[in-house]
Amino acid sequence: DAGITQSPRHKVTETGTPVTLRCHQTENHRYMYWYRQDPGHGLRLIHYSYGVKDTDKGEVSDGYSVSRSKTEDFLLTLESATSSQTSVYFCAISATLGRRGGEQFFGPGTRLTVL
Amino acid sequence: AQSVTQLGSHVSVSEGALVLLRCNYSSSVPPYLFWYVQYPNQGLQLLLKYTTGATLVKGINGFEAEFKKSETSFHLTKPSAHMSDAAEYFCAVSPGNQFYFGTGTSLTVIP
């Protein structure tokens, strides 16, 4: 299994509070991604990173920010959590881009509940 | 625009029967295509991928998929379903920097 950990694995928070989720990899892969998974929507990309300090927005980036100061860590921050951000969040990594045949490896997920 | 459509959010098959999960894609450039499986309370894991070359791709656990460019399809099959195949399956396309996932198909295997 690819070395990807996510922390915390479960979190309950209140509306309006900031929340930071951490993804840590030991594979030294260049690309890292944050997705959210919701029933009926599959996985939707929030943000991704193509190197240290290089990030870009995905399909559902509003309300989220990311940072990558080291190759191995990719942080997702909800500046002011809302109930619509209740979801399961997955981190993924890849060594190469999909268009070059690179597949993604996924972490175990973080279940976030915003009350 | 890139998108992936998975026909049938729920599929039920009897143990030993053929499994067929459908995936159609749209892509403005030649795509790379993937199938992932997700077991309850776990992350996704790769079943198989199509990049270039042979259009029939074999994956893990006896699954295979065929890329049909004329039909823009990448359907997943397995000749004989096993109870352990019960899971959610996602088709994905990656024409560029991002991956685009379908909404998933939940497979139930009936004993």
PDB file of all heavy atoms in Angstrom, chain A residues 41-77:
ATOM      1  N   HIS A  41     -22.581  12.291  -5.818  1.00  0.00           N
ATOM      2  CA  HIS A  41     -21.637  13.177  -6.514  1.00  0.00           C
ATOM      3  C   HIS A  41     -20.306  12.522  -6.809  1.00  0.00           C
ATOM      4  O   HIS A  41     -19.468  13.086  -7.510  1.00  0.00           O
ATOM      5  CB  HIS A  41     -21.388  14.436  -5.681  1.00  0.00           C
ATOM      6  CG  HIS A  41     -22.566  15.343  -5.594  1.00  0.00           C
ATOM      7  ND1 HIS A  41     -22.870  16.276  -6.564  1.00  0.00           N
ATOM      8  CD2 HIS A  41     -23.531  15.457  -4.656  1.00  0.00           C
ATOM      9  CE1 HIS A  41     -23.958  16.933  -6.221  1.00  0.00           C
ATOM     10  NE2 HIS A  41     -24.384  16.445  -5.073  1.00  0.00           N
ATOM     11  N   GLY A  42     -20.069  11.354  -6.294  1.00  0.00           N
ATOM     12  CA  GLY A  42     -18.767  10.742  -6.501  1.00  0.00           C
ATOM     13  C   GLY A  42     -17.686  11.540  -5.799  1.00  0.00           C
ATOM     14  O   GLY A  42     -17.904  12.115  -4.737  1.00  0.00           O
ATOM     15  N   LEU A  43     -16.528  11.600  -6.417  1.00  0.00           N
ATOM     16  CA  LEU A  43     -15.426  12.384  -5.876  1.00  0.00           C
ATOM     17  C   LEU A  43     -15.294  13.672  -6.664  1.00  0.00           C
ATOM     18  O   LEU A  43     -15.290  13.646  -7.907  1.00  0.00           O
ATOM     19  CB  LEU A  43     -14.104  11.608  -5.965  1.00  0.00           C
ATOM     20  CG  LEU A  43     -13.828  10.645  -4.828  1.00  0.00           C
ATOM     21  CD1 LEU A  43     -14.607   9.365  -5.034  1.00  0.00           C
ATOM     22  CD2 LEU A  43     -12.344  10.353  -4.725  1.00  0.00           C
ATOM     23  N   ARG A  44     -15.157  14.752  -5.962  1.00  0.00           N
ATOM     24  CA  ARG A  44     -14.967  16.039  -6.610  1.00  0.00           C
ATOM     25  C   ARG A  44     -13.677  16.666  -6.101  1.00  0.00           C
ATOM     26  O   ARG A  44     -13.426  16.706  -4.896  1.00  0.00           O
ATOM     27  CB  ARG A  44     -16.168  16.953  -6.340  1.00  0.00           C
ATOM     28  CG  ARG A  44     -17.447  16.475  -7.008  1.00  0.00           C
ATOM     29  CD  ARG A  44     -18.601  17.409  -6.726  1.00  0.00           C
ATOM     30  NE  ARG A  44     -19.011  17.332  -5.316  1.00  0.00           N
ATOM     31  CZ  ARG A  44     -19.927  18.122  -4.773  1.00  0.00           C
ATOM     32  NH1 ARG A  44     -20.516  19.059  -5.512  1.00  0.00           N
ATOM     33  NH2 ARG A  44     -20.250  17.990  -3.500  1.00  0.00           N
ATOM     34  N   LEU A  45     -12.913  17.186  -7.028  1.00  0.00           N
ATOM     35  CA  LEU A  45     -11.606  17.742  -6.701  1.00  0.00           C
ATOM     36  C   LEU A  45     -11.745  19.112  -6.067  1.00  0.00           C
ATOM     37  O   LEU A  45     -12.427  19.997  -6.606  1.00  0.00           O
ATOM     38  CB  LEU A  45     -10.753  17.826  -7.972  1.00  0.00           C
ATOM     39  CG  LEU A  45      -9.334  18.344  -7.795  1.00  0.00           C
ATOM     40  CD1 LEU A  45      -8.508  17.364  -6.965  1.00  0.00           C
ATOM     41  CD2 LEU A  45      -8.681  18.562  -9.158  1.00  0.00           C
ATOM     42  N   ILE A  46     -11.055  19.304  -4.958  1.00  0.00           N
ATOM     43  CA  ILE A  46     -11.093  20.591  -4.263  1.00  0.00           C
ATOM     44  C   ILE A  46      -9.885  21.434  -4.677  1.00  0.00           C
ATOM     45  O   ILE A  46     -10.018  22.547  -5.182  1.00  0.00           O
ATOM     46  CB  ILE A  46     -11.086  20.386  -2.737  1.00  0.00           C
ATOM     47  CG1 ILE A  46     -12.241  19.480  -2.306  1.00  0.00           C
ATOM     48  CG2 ILE A  46     -11.178  21.730  -2.020  1.00  0.00           C
ATOM     49  CD1 ILE A  46     -12.186  19.063  -0.843  1.00  0.00           C
ATOM     50  N   HIS A  47      -8.711  20.918  -4.435  1.00  0.00           N
ATOM     51  CA  HIS A  47      -7.454  21.558  -4.824  1.00  0.00           C
ATOM     52  C   HIS A  47      -6.437  20.467  -5.137  1.00  0.00           C
ATOM     53  O   HIS A  47      -6.568  19.340  -4.675  1.00  0.00           O
ATOM     54  CB  HIS A  47      -6.878  22.412  -3.689  1.00  0.00           C
ATOM     55  CG  HIS A  47      -7.536  23.728  -3.471  1.00  0.00           C
ATOM     56  ND1 HIS A  47      -7.246  24.849  -4.222  1.00  0.00           N
ATOM     57  CD2 HIS A  47      -8.458  24.112  -2.553  1.00  0.00           C
ATOM     58  CE1 HIS A  47      -7.959  25.868  -3.773  1.00  0.00           C
ATOM     59  NE2 HIS A  47      -8.709  25.449  -2.772  1.00  0.00           N
ATOM     60  N   TYR A  48      -5.421  20.838  -5.871  1.00  0.00           N
ATOM     61  CA  TYR A  48      -4.325  19.910  -6.068  1.00  0.00           C
ATOM     62  C   TYR A  48      -3.003  20.668  -6.066  1.00  0.00           C
ATOM     63  O   TYR A  48      -2.975  21.904  -6.190  1.00  0.00           O
ATOM     64  CB  TYR A  48      -4.502  19.082  -7.351  1.00  0.00           C
ATOM     65  CG  TYR A  48      -4.443  19.856  -8.644  1.00  0.00           C
ATOM     66  CD1 TYR A  48      -3.294  19.864  -9.419  1.00  0.00           C
ATOM     67  CD2 TYR A  48      -5.553  20.550  -9.107  1.00  0.00           C
ATOM     68  CE1 TYR A  48      -3.249  20.549 -10.620  1.00  0.00           C
ATOM     69  CE2 TYR A  48      -5.512  21.244 -10.297  1.00  0.00           C
ATOM     70  CZ  TYR A  48      -4.372  21.247 -11.052  1.00  0.00           C
ATOM     71  OH  TYR A  48      -4.325  21.935 -12.239  1.00  0.00           O
ATOM     72  N   SER A  49      -1.937  19.903  -5.951  1.00  0.00           N
ATOM     73  CA  SER A  49      -0.608  20.499  -5.904  1.00  0.00           C
ATOM     74  C   SER A  49       0.308  19.740  -6.846  1.00  0.00           C
ATOM     75  O   SER A  49       0.283  18.506  -6.897  1.00  0.00           O
ATOM     76  CB  SER A  49      -0.045  20.425  -4.475  1.00  0.00           C
ATOM     77  OG  SER A  49       1.330  20.750  -4.460  1.00  0.00           O
ATOM     78  N   TYR A  50       1.115  20.495  -7.571  1.00  0.00           N
ATOM     79  CA  TYR A  50       2.051  19.871  -8.497  1.00  0.00           C
ATOM     80  C   TYR A  50       3.497  20.121  -8.070  1.00  0.00           C
ATOM     81  O   TYR A  50       4.423  19.995  -8.867  1.00  0.00           O
ATOM     82  CB  TYR A  50       1.806  20.326  -9.941  1.00  0.00           C
ATOM     83  CG  TYR A  50       1.520  21.790 -10.099  1.00  0.00           C
ATOM     84  CD1 TYR A  50       2.533  22.687 -10.391  1.00  0.00           C
ATOM     85  CD2 TYR A  50       0.224  22.275  -9.980  1.00  0.00           C
ATOM     86  CE1 TYR A  50       2.277  24.028 -10.547  1.00  0.00           C
ATOM     87  CE2 TYR A  50      -0.050  23.621 -10.124  1.00  0.00           C
ATOM     88  CZ  TYR A  50       0.972  24.500 -10.410  1.00  0.00           C
ATOM     89  OH  TYR A  50       0.704  25.836 -10.555  1.00  0.00           O
ATOM     90  N   GLY A  51       3.667  20.497  -6.816  1.00  0.00           N
ATOM     91  CA  GLY A  51       4.992  20.669  -6.251  1.00  0.00           C
ATOM     92  C   GLY A  51       4.909  21.547  -5.022  1.00  0.00           C
ATOM     93  O   GLY A  51       3.859  22.129  -4.717  1.00  0.00           O
ATOM     94  N   VAL A  52       6.040  21.642  -4.317  1.00  0.00           N
ATOM     95  CA  VAL A  52       6.061  22.477  -3.116  1.00  0.00           C
ATOM     96  C   VAL A  52       5.691  23.908  -3.482  1.00  0.00           C
ATOM     97  O   VAL A  52       6.249  24.477  -4.433  1.00  0.00           O
ATOM     98  CB  VAL A  52       7.452  22.414  -2.470  1.00  0.00           C
ATOM     99  CG1 VAL A  52       7.539  23.396  -1.305  1.00  0.00           C
ATOM    100  CG2 VAL A  52       7.755  21.010  -1.980  1.00  0.00           C
ATOM    101  N   LYS A  53       4.740  24.440  -2.781  1.00  0.00           N
ATOM    102  CA  LYS A  53       4.232  25.796  -2.943  1.00  0.00           C
ATOM    103  C   LYS A  53       3.484  26.023  -4.258  1.00  0.00           C
ATOM    104  O   LYS A  53       3.099  27.155  -4.557  1.00  0.00           O
ATOM    105  CB  LYS A  53       5.351  26.832  -2.798  1.00  0.00           C
ATOM    106  CG  LYS A  53       6.017  26.819  -1.442  1.00  0.00           C
ATOM    107  CD  LYS A  53       6.926  28.022  -1.262  1.00  0.00           C
ATOM    108  CE  LYS A  53       7.755  27.933   0.002  1.00  0.00           C
ATOM    109  NZ  LYS A  53       6.967  27.752   1.205  1.00  0.00           N
ATOM    110  N   ASP A  54       3.279  24.973  -5.033  1.00  0.00           N
ATOM    111  CA  ASP A  54       2.536  25.087  -6.289  1.00  0.00           C
ATOM    112  C   ASP A  54       1.203  24.380  -6.163  1.00  0.00           C
ATOM    113  O   ASP A  54       1.166  23.145  -6.054  1.00  0.00           O
ATOM    114  CB  ASP A  54       3.329  24.473  -7.445  1.00  0.00           C
ATOM    115  CG  ASP A  54       4.545  25.293  -7.806  1.00  0.00           C
ATOM    116  OD1 ASP A  54       4.465  26.530  -7.696  1.00  0.00           O
ATOM    117  OD2 ASP A  54       5.572  24.692  -8.174  1.00  0.00           O
ATOM    118  N   THR A  55       0.128  25.168  -6.163  1.00  0.00           N
ATOM    119  CA  THR A  55      -1.192  24.570  -6.016  1.00  0.00           C
ATOM    120  C   THR A  55      -2.148  25.189  -7.024  1.00  0.00           C
ATOM    121  O   THR A  55      -1.884  26.261  -7.582  1.00  0.00           O
ATOM    122  CB  THR A  55      -1.757  24.783  -4.597  1.00  0.00           C
ATOM    123  OG1 THR A  55      -1.961  26.174  -4.362  1.00  0.00           O
ATOM    124  CG2 THR A  55      -0.823  24.213  -3.542  1.00  0.00           C
ATOM    125  N   ASP A  56      -3.266  24.509  -7.232  1.00  0.00           N
ATOM    126  CA  ASP A  56      -4.265  25.027  -8.155  1.00  0.00           C
ATOM    127  C   ASP A  56      -5.632  24.591  -7.695  1.00  0.00           C
ATOM    128  O   ASP A  56      -5.772  23.620  -6.932  1.00  0.00           O
ATOM    129  CB  ASP A  56      -4.001  24.544  -9.576  1.00  0.00           C
ATOM    130  CG  ASP A  56      -4.549  25.492 -10.631  1.00  0.00           C
ATOM    131  OD1 ASP A  56      -5.337  26.398 -10.261  1.00  0.00           O
ATOM    132  OD2 ASP A  56      -4.230  25.333 -11.812  1.00  0.00           O
ATOM    133  N   LYS A  57      -6.660  25.311  -8.165  1.00  0.00           N
ATOM    134  CA  LYS A  57      -8.025  25.028  -7.746  1.00  0.00           C
ATOM    135  C   LYS A  57      -8.615  23.890  -8.556  1.00  0.00           C
ATOM    136  O   LYS A  57      -8.314  23.704  -9.727  1.00  0.00           O
ATOM    137  CB  LYS A  57      -8.887  26.269  -7.899  1.00  0.00           C
ATOM    138  CG  LYS A  57      -8.475  27.428  -7.018  1.00  0.00           C
ATOM    139  CD  LYS A  57      -9.376  28.619  -7.257  1.00  0.00           C
ATOM    140  CE  LYS A  57      -8.965  29.788  -6.362  1.00  0.00           C
ATOM    141  NZ  LYS A  57      -9.833  30.976  -6.569  1.00  0.00           N
ATOM    142  N   GLY A  58      -9.519  23.183  -7.887  1.00  0.00           N
ATOM    143  CA  GLY A  58     -10.290  22.169  -8.569  1.00  0.00           C
ATOM    144  C   GLY A  58     -11.716  22.623  -8.763  1.00  0.00           C
ATOM    145  O   GLY A  58     -12.021  23.817  -8.746  1.00  0.00           O
ATOM    146  N   GLU A  59     -12.587  21.668  -8.927  1.00  0.00           N
ATOM    147  CA  GLU A  59     -13.982  21.921  -9.259  1.00  0.00           C
ATOM    148  C   GLU A  59     -14.763  22.616  -8.147  1.00  0.00           C
ATOM    149  O   GLU A  59     -15.658  23.427  -8.401  1.00  0.00           O
ATOM    150  CB  GLU A  59     -14.638  20.578  -9.589  1.00  0.00           C
ATOM    151  CG  GLU A  59     -16.118  20.614  -9.903  1.00  0.00           C
ATOM    152  CD  GLU A  59     -16.692  19.208 -10.047  1.00  0.00           C
ATOM    153  OE1 GLU A  59     -15.947  18.227  -9.887  1.00  0.00           O
ATOM    154  OE2 GLU A  59     -17.907  19.104 -10.309  1.00  0.00           O
ATOM    155  N   VAL A  60     -14.450  22.300  -6.877  1.00  0.00           N
ATOM    156  CA  VAL A  60     -15.243  22.795  -5.755  1.00  0.00           C
ATOM    157  C   VAL A  60     -14.352  23.459  -4.715  1.00  0.00           C
ATOM    158  O   VAL A  60     -14.341  23.076  -3.542  1.00  0.00           O
ATOM    159  CB  VAL A  60     -16.082  21.662  -5.126  1.00  0.00           C
ATOM    160  CG1 VAL A  60     -17.186  21.217  -6.072  1.00  0.00           C
ATOM    161  CG2 VAL A  60     -15.217  20.469  -4.735  1.00  0.00           C
ATOM    162  N   SER A  61     -13.605  24.457  -5.104  1.00  0.00           N
ATOM    163  CA  SER A  61     -12.594  25.049  -4.240  1.00  0.00           C
ATOM    164  C   SER A  61     -13.125  26.144  -3.305  1.00  0.00           C
ATOM    165  O   SER A  61     -12.437  26.513  -2.345  1.00  0.00           O
ATOM    166  CB  SER A  61     -11.462  25.619  -5.087  1.00  0.00           C
ATOM    167  OG  SER A  61     -11.965  26.603  -5.971  1.00  0.00           O
ATOM    168  N   ASP A  62     -14.315  26.673  -3.553  1.00  0.00           N
ATOM    169  CA  ASP A  62     -14.825  27.763  -2.728  1.00  0.00           C
ATOM    170  C   ASP A  62     -14.931  27.337  -1.273  1.00  0.00           C
ATOM    171  O   ASP A  62     -15.519  26.311  -0.943  1.00  0.00           O
ATOM    172  CB  ASP A  62     -16.200  28.221  -3.231  1.00  0.00           C
ATOM    173  CG  ASP A  62     -16.104  28.994  -4.520  1.00  0.00           C
ATOM    174  OD1 ASP A  62     -14.974  29.358  -4.920  1.00  0.00           O
ATOM    175  OD2 ASP A  62     -17.147  29.231  -5.149  1.00  0.00           O
ATOM    176  N   GLY A  63     -14.364  28.155  -0.374  1.00  0.00           N
ATOM    177  CA  GLY A  63     -14.436  27.866   1.050  1.00  0.00           C
ATOM    178  C   GLY A  63     -13.275  27.040   1.565  1.00  0.00           C
ATOM    179  O   GLY A  63     -13.216  26.753   2.761  1.00  0.00           O
ATOM    180  N   TYR A  64     -12.374  26.668   0.665  1.00  0.00           N
ATOM    181  CA  TYR A  64     -11.217  25.848   1.034  1.00  0.00           C
ATOM    182  C   TYR A  64      -9.918  26.531   0.591  1.00  0.00           C
ATOM    183  O   TYR A  64      -9.876  27.187  -0.441  1.00  0.00           O
ATOM    184  CB  TYR A  64     -11.264  24.482   0.341  1.00  0.00           C
ATOM    185  CG  TYR A  64     -12.479  23.648   0.628  1.00  0.00           C
ATOM    186  CD1 TYR A  64     -13.580  23.677  -0.226  1.00  0.00           C
ATOM    187  CD2 TYR A  64     -12.524  22.797   1.728  1.00  0.00           C
ATOM    188  CE1 TYR A  64     -14.694  22.894   0.013  1.00  0.00           C
ATOM    189  CE2 TYR A  64     -13.633  21.999   1.977  1.00  0.00           C
ATOM    190  CZ  TYR A  64     -14.710  22.054   1.114  1.00  0.00           C
ATOM    191  OH  TYR A  64     -15.811  21.254   1.356  1.00  0.00           O
ATOM    192  N   SER A  65      -8.879  26.319   1.376  1.00  0.00           N
ATOM    193  CA  SER A  65      -7.547  26.731   0.972  1.00  0.00           C
ATOM    194  C   SER A  65      -6.580  25.585   1.277  1.00  0.00           C
ATOM    195  O   SER A  65      -6.896  24.687   2.064  1.00  0.00           O
ATOM    196  CB  SER A  65      -7.097  28.008   1.683  1.00  0.00           C
ATOM    197  OG  SER A  65      -7.031  27.784   3.088  1.00  0.00           O
ATOM    198  N   VAL A  66      -5.439  25.604   0.612  1.00  0.00           N
ATOM    199  CA  VAL A  66      -4.456  24.539   0.803  1.00  0.00           C
ATOM    200  C   VAL A  66      -3.071  25.142   0.936  1.00  0.00           C
ATOM    201  O   VAL A  66      -2.824  26.279   0.550  1.00  0.00           O
ATOM    202  CB  VAL A  66      -4.453  23.529  -0.373  1.00  0.00           C
ATOM    203  CG1 VAL A  66      -5.719  22.679  -0.379  1.00  0.00           C
ATOM    204  CG2 VAL A  66      -4.246  24.241  -1.694  1.00  0.00           C
ATOM    205  N   SER A  67      -2.183  24.332   1.477  1.00  0.00           N
ATOM    206  CA  SER A  67      -0.781  24.724   1.527  1.00  0.00           C
ATOM    207  C   SER A  67       0.088  23.480   1.439  1.00  0.00           C
ATOM    208  O   SER A  67      -0.280  22.414   1.928  1.00  0.00           O
ATOM    209  CB  SER A  67      -0.464  25.492   2.807  1.00  0.00           C
ATOM    210  OG  SER A  67      -0.601  24.663   3.934  1.00  0.00           O
ATOM    211  N   ARG A  68       1.227  23.669   0.803  1.00  0.00           N
ATOM    212  CA  ARG A  68       2.195  22.576   0.685  1.00  0.00           C
ATOM    213  C   ARG A  68       3.585  23.173   0.832  1.00  0.00           C
ATOM    214  O   ARG A  68       4.156  23.697  -0.119  1.00  0.00           O
ATOM    215  CB  ARG A  68       2.051  21.856  -0.648  1.00  0.00           C
ATOM    216  CG  ARG A  68       2.842  20.554  -0.684  1.00  0.00           C
ATOM    217  CD  ARG A  68       2.515  19.777  -1.913  1.00  0.00           C
ATOM    218  NE  ARG A  68       3.280  18.539  -2.003  1.00  0.00           N
ATOM    219  CZ  ARG A  68       3.419  17.859  -3.124  1.00  0.00           C
ATOM    220  NH1 ARG A  68       2.861  18.278  -4.245  1.00  0.00           N
ATOM    221  NH2 ARG A  68       4.125  16.743  -3.126  1.00  0.00           N
ATOM    222  N   SER A  69       4.121  23.083   2.020  1.00  0.00           N
ATOM    223  CA  SER A  69       5.437  23.643   2.317  1.00  0.00           C
ATOM    224  C   SER A  69       6.528  22.574   2.225  1.00  0.00           C
ATOM    225  O   SER A  69       7.713  22.903   2.152  1.00  0.00           O
ATOM    226  CB  SER A  69       5.441  24.284   3.700  1.00  0.00           C
ATOM    227  OG  SER A  69       5.099  23.310   4.676  1.00  0.00           O
ATOM    228  N   LYS A  70       6.129  21.311   2.237  1.00  0.00           N
ATOM    229  CA  LYS A  70       7.069  20.200   2.098  1.00  0.00           C
ATOM    230  C   LYS A  70       6.472  19.184   1.135  1.00  0.00           C
ATOM    231  O   LYS A  70       5.253  19.079   1.013  1.00  0.00           O
ATOM    232  CB  LYS A  70       7.316  19.525   3.453  1.00  0.00           C
ATOM    233  CG  LYS A  70       7.934  20.407   4.497  1.00  0.00           C
ATOM    234  CD  LYS A  70       8.239  19.628   5.770  1.00  0.00           C
ATOM    235  CE  LYS A  70       6.978  19.228   6.497  1.00  0.00           C
ATOM    236  NZ  LYS A  70       7.286  18.563   7.791  1.00  0.00           N
ATOM    237  N   THR A  71       7.316  18.452   0.478  1.00  0.00           N
ATOM    238  CA  THR A  71       6.834  17.454  -0.479  1.00  0.00           C
ATOM    239  C   THR A  71       5.844  16.501   0.166  1.00  0.00           C
ATOM    240  O   THR A  71       4.855  16.107  -0.444  1.00  0.00           O
ATOM    241  CB  THR A  71       8.012  16.644  -1.046  1.00  0.00           C
ATOM    242  OG1 THR A  71       8.888  17.519  -1.737  1.00  0.00           O
ATOM    243  CG2 THR A  71       7.533  15.559  -2.005  1.00  0.00           C
ATOM    244  N   GLU A  72       6.081  16.125   1.403  1.00  0.00           N
ATOM    245  CA  GLU A  72       5.307  15.058   2.020  1.00  0.00           C
ATOM    246  C   GLU A  72       3.984  15.502   2.641  1.00  0.00           C
ATOM    247  O   GLU A  72       3.157  14.657   2.968  1.00  0.00           O
ATOM    248  CB  GLU A  72       6.142  14.341   3.083  1.00  0.00           C
ATOM    249  CG  GLU A  72       6.676  15.225   4.189  1.00  0.00           C
ATOM    250  CD  GLU A  72       8.080  15.729   3.898  1.00  0.00           C
ATOM    251  OE1 GLU A  72       8.396  15.984   2.714  1.00  0.00           O
ATOM    252  OE2 GLU A  72       8.847  15.889   4.868  1.00  0.00           O
ATOM    253  N   ASP A  73       3.772  16.801   2.811  1.00  0.00           N
ATOM    254  CA  ASP A  73       2.568  17.246   3.503  1.00  0.00           C
ATOM    255  C   ASP A  73       1.723  18.183   2.653  1.00  0.00           C
ATOM    256  O   ASP A  73       2.239  19.116   2.024  1.00  0.00           O
ATOM    257  CB  ASP A  73       2.936  17.980   4.806  1.00  0.00           C
ATOM    258  CG  ASP A  73       3.478  17.041   5.851  1.00  0.00           C
ATOM    259  OD1 ASP A  73       3.011  15.879   5.911  1.00  0.00           O
ATOM    260  OD2 ASP A  73       4.361  17.468   6.622  1.00  0.00           O
ATOM    261  N   PHE A  74       0.420  17.933   2.692  1.00  0.00           N
ATOM    262  CA  PHE A  74      -0.540  18.767   1.949  1.00  0.00           C
ATOM    263  C   PHE A  74      -1.690  19.036   2.898  1.00  0.00           C
ATOM    264  O   PHE A  74      -2.377  18.108   3.331  1.00  0.00           O
ATOM    265  CB  PHE A  74      -0.994  18.017   0.697  1.00  0.00           C
ATOM    266  CG  PHE A  74      -1.734  18.843  -0.311  1.00  0.00           C
ATOM    267  CD1 PHE A  74      -1.462  20.189  -0.508  1.00  0.00           C
ATOM    268  CD2 PHE A  74      -2.710  18.262  -1.123  1.00  0.00           C
ATOM    269  CE1 PHE A  74      -2.134  20.932  -1.469  1.00  0.00           C
ATOM    270  CE2 PHE A  74      -3.377  19.001  -2.095  1.00  0.00           C
ATOM    271  CZ  PHE A  74      -3.089  20.332  -2.256  1.00  0.00           C
ATOM    272  N   LEU A  75      -1.883  20.299   3.249  1.00  0.00           N
ATOM    273  CA  LEU A  75      -2.892  20.671   4.227  1.00  0.00           C
ATOM    274  C   LEU A  75      -4.105  21.283   3.543  1.00  0.00           C
ATOM    275  O   LEU A  75      -3.974  22.087   2.629  1.00  0.00           O
ATOM    276  CB  LEU A  75      -2.315  21.689   5.215  1.00  0.00           C
ATOM    277  CG  LEU A  75      -1.056  21.277   5.968  1.00  0.00           C
ATOM    278  CD1 LEU A  75      -0.631  22.395   6.911  1.00  0.00           C
ATOM    279  CD2 LEU A  75      -1.265  19.990   6.743  1.00  0.00           C
ATOM    280  N   LEU A  76      -5.262  20.895   4.018  1.00  0.00           N
ATOM    281  CA  LEU A  76      -6.527  21.467   3.550  1.00  0.00           C
ATOM    282  C   LEU A  76      -7.160  22.218   4.710  1.00  0.00           C
ATOM    283  O   LEU A  76      -7.357  21.649   5.780  1.00  0.00           O
ATOM    284  CB  LEU A  76      -7.461  20.361   3.074  1.00  0.00           C
ATOM    285  CG  LEU A  76      -8.862  20.798   2.638  1.00  0.00           C
ATOM    286  CD1 LEU A  76      -8.792  21.577   1.321  1.00  0.00           C
ATOM    287  CD2 LEU A  76      -9.793  19.596   2.489  1.00  0.00           C
ATOM    288  N   THR A  77      -7.493  23.490   4.483  1.00  0.00           N
ATOM    289  CA  THR A  77      -8.085  24.307   5.529  1.00  0.00           C
ATOM    290  C   THR A  77      -9.455  24.802   5.120  1.00  0.00           C
ATOM    291  O   THR A  77      -9.623  25.311   4.012  1.00  0.00           O
ATOM    292  CB  THR A  77      -7.186  25.513   5.863  1.00  0.00           C
ATOM    293  OG1 THR A  77      -5.934  25.029   6.374  1.00  0.00           O
ATOM    294  CG2 THR A  77      -7.831  26.396   6.913  1.00  0.00           C
TER     295      THR A  77
END
